[in-house]
Amino acid sequence: QGVLICLEVDLRVDEDGGMQRAAISAVQEGAKQHVIIVAGPRKAIRDALLGANILKMEFALRDVLVVPYELGGRKVQKNKEEEDKLSRPDGTGFDTNKRPTWETQPYVADAVGDDWETYVNAEMEDAVLQNGPKVQEDGIVIIVANTGEIIRRGVGQVPWRNIVEELEQKVKEDAPVNLGFLSES
């Protein structure tokens, strides 16, 4: 968990693609955002983000931030950004300089910095030890409540609705109980 809060993400701050860099700790403490990290090969990331796109309003209402991390896709940051622009159409015609809409939603943040590779590789190694090598194909998900607590780690397809409900429940459990009805008026 200590390493996790130091990791940085680029957040979408406007509809024109403007980005702002922040540490996970700042996102959680300042904006009270839950963070869901999805790591795996390109197909696992695409499938997860497509599934998340269905619940995009839930993410906005419940302060959920999704951070995809493509295994093997972060070696050289400069080349990756150029590759992103060239290889990911968004369905708006022949403009090849755009990424798919599910990758550019406001609730999707980009993992930045070399520390992500170290963190994700360690998590992936643990998952492989527990679940076998197929995990590297299926991908992993790490759910971090806005308190910084990792509340679940999973493998394979992401059950988005269950995760959102679990995060909502976690917030309710951690919230102070209002006992105002006990005070005398």
Side-chain angles (χ1 to χ4, degrees):
Q1 265 175 288
V3 174
L4 178 62
I5 62 171
C6 296
L7 297 175
E8 291 187 321
V9 292
D10 275 345
L11 305 164
R12 282 166 186 73
V13 293
D14 60 40
E15 291 189 23
D16 295 330
M19 305 292 270
Q20 182 175 341
R21 187 158 298 175
I24 294 285
S25 59
V27 169
Q28 292 192 308
E29 291 168 18
K32 300 290 183 212
Q33 296 267 302
H34 303 294
V35 177
I36 301 172
I37 301 164
V38 181
R42 179 87 185 122
K43 182 185 181 319
I45 298 297
R46 186 195 68 220
D47 291 349
L49 291 178
L50 279 169
N53 201 37
I54 295 168
L55 291 178
K56 61 185 166 189
M57 290 305 294
E58 296 284 331
F59 293 144
L61 292 170
R62 296 199 168 119
D63 294 320
V64 175
L65 188 65
V66 177
V67 182
Y69 184 89
E70 184 179 343
L71 292 176
R74 299 275 174 188
K75 300 293 182 217
V76 182
Q77 190 67 28
K78 291 175 195 161
N79 291 344
K80 183 190 180 328
E81 288 171 4
E82 291 168 13
E83 174 203 326
D84 280 351
K85 290 179 180 172
L86 296 174
S87 68
R88 298 184 182 168
D90 70 349
T92 60
F94 296 107
D95 186 354
T96 59
N97 291 327
K98 296 205 174 193
R99 292 169 64 185
T101 56
W102 62 82
E103 289 184 357
T104 58
Q105 292 294 323
Y107 59 83
V108 178
D110 295 334
V112 290
D114 295 334
D115 294 336
W116 275 99
E117 184 174 3
T118 305
Y119 175 76
V120 169
N121 283 340
E123 289 285 348
M124 186 60 76
E125 284 176 26
D126 287 348
V128 168
L129 286 174
Q130 294 172 17
N131 300 290
K134 190 164 177 1
V135 169
Q136 293 171 320
E137 266 177 55
D138 297 339
I140 59 173
V141 61
I142 303 156
I143 301 128
V144 189
N146 60 10
T147 59
E149 178 186 356
I150 295 175
I151 61 170
R152 180 186 294 245
R153 288 175 170 90
V155 174
Q157 190 172 9
V158 182
W160 290 111
R161 186 166 304 283
N162 294 351
I163 289 172
V164 170
E165 289 170 2
E166 189 170 344
L167 285 168
E168 187 73 13
Q169 192 61 38
K170 181 70 181 155
V171 169
K172 286 179 184 172
E173 289 171 8
D174 289 346
V177 177
N178 182 355
L179 300 176
F181 65 91
L182 295 177
S183 64
E184 295 179 33
S185 302

